[in-house]
Amino acid sequence: MKKKYEYGLVLSGGGTRGFAHLGAIKALEENGIRPDIISGVSAGGIVGALYADGQDAEAALKALITKNLLGFLKLMIPKKGLLKMTGFEKTLRKTLKAKRFEDLKIPLILHAVNINTVEYTRFDKGDLIQAIKASSSIPVVFPPVDIDGHQYLDGGIVNNFPVEPLVDQCKTIIGINVNPLGPEYNISNLKTIAIRSFHLSMRNHAESRKEECDIYVEPEGVQKYGILDLANAREVFDLGYKKALEVLQKK
């Protein structure tokens, strides 16, 4: 069967560990590899949207650090989430030229969970910003995102490594997983417990799906960085870059 795309790129969730996605993308570009379609979830969805919007890896890193994408998160009295995404949408709208999937330069598929119908939902057309928010809304930490009367949470709950849409569509599938799980001893508050529990629920997603990838990148060391930590963005970026170069050199 003839494949529609040359290169497909899968980007996992992982919070600000997603900066490693950008480093890996830089390494891919330096090796003449540019994806023709992207499937992402959560942090991978944010990075995928920026790249599909036409920003190269370094420009996207600079934009996210300068505009402080997570700097608008505010603590709220727990009702549906611990943190309110105040200003998150505003920052996305300032950063992205495209406002709809149809405006992107590269086809993008995002994923979220409809908690009303218990369905894993694919977004690939219509309002881009709402889909990014829905795909990135970590349960308990952030409130669900309302789209057309339905509530959505982070797609990583069900599948944090969404390779399936690219199978049989791409000659070469490249997977980048920035959410390996290692020991963690600083678990001191409800937010930390919620995030850790979320990670535990999705720890095997990439492991069971990485065989579908022709090129698989999992940067070592990213697990020591918090998933809402912007302070070490460049270090995380470099981990992704170095690991991707290492993998590509072996091909």
Side-chain angles (χ1 to χ4, degrees), residues 12 17 73 113 142 232 240 245-246:
S12 77
R17 296 171 184 172
L73 300 178
V113 176
F142 301 123
N232 298 294
L245 281 182
E246 176 187 319

Coordinates of all heavy atoms in Angstrom, one line a residue, residues 12 17 73 113 142 232 240 245-246:
S12 N 5.2 12.9 22.4 CA 4.5 12.5 23.7 C 4.2 13.7 24.6 O 4.7 14.8 24.3 CB 5.4 11.5 24.5 OG 6.4 12.3 25.1
R17 N 9.1 19.2 30.0 CA 10.0 18.3 29.4 C 9.9 18.3 27.9 O 10.7 17.7 27.2 CB 9.8 16.8 30.0 CG 10.1 16.7 31.5 CD 9.7 15.4 32.0 NE 9.9 15.3 33.4 CZ 9.4 14.3 34.2 NH1 8.8 13.3 33.6 NH2 9.6 14.3 35.5
L73 N -0.2 30.8 35.1 CA -1.0 29.8 35.9 C -1.2 30.4 37.3 O -0.3 30.8 37.9 CB -0.2 28.5 35.9 CG 0.0 27.8 34.6 CD1 0.8 26.5 34.8 CD2 -1.3 27.5 33.9
V113 N -9.2 13.6 26.0 CA -10.2 12.7 26.4 C -11.5 13.4 26.8 O -11.5 14.4 27.6 CB -9.7 11.9 27.7 CG1 -10.8 11.0 28.2 CG2 -8.4 11.1 27.4
F142 N -5.3 20.9 36.3 CA -6.0 21.9 35.6 C -7.4 21.5 35.4 O -7.8 20.3 35.4 CB -5.4 22.0 34.2 CG -3.9 22.4 34.2 CD1 -2.9 21.7 33.5 CD2 -3.5 23.6 34.8 CE1 -1.6 22.0 33.6 CE2 -2.2 24.0 34.8 CZ -1.2 23.2 34.2
N232 N 14.8 25.5 33.5 CA 15.9 24.7 32.9 C 15.5 24.3 31.5 O 16.0 23.2 31.0 CB 16.1 23.4 33.7 CG 16.6 23.7 35.1 OD1 17.6 24.3 35.4 ND2 15.7 23.4 36.1
G240 N 17.3 16.6 24.5 CA 16.6 16.1 23.4 C 17.5 16.1 22.1 O 17.5 15.2 21.3
L245 N 20.5 13.2 18.0 CA 21.7 13.1 17.2 C 22.4 11.7 17.3 O 22.8 11.1 16.3 CB 22.8 14.2 17.6 CG 22.6 15.6 17.1 CD1 23.7 16.5 17.5 CD2 22.5 15.6 15.5
E246 N 22.4 11.2 18.6 CA 23.0 9.9 18.8 C 22.2 8.8 18.1 O 22.8 7.9 17.5 CB 22.9 9.7 20.4 CG 23.4 8.3 20.8 CD 23.2 8.1 22.3 OE1 23.4 9.0 23.1 OE2 22.7 7.0 22.6

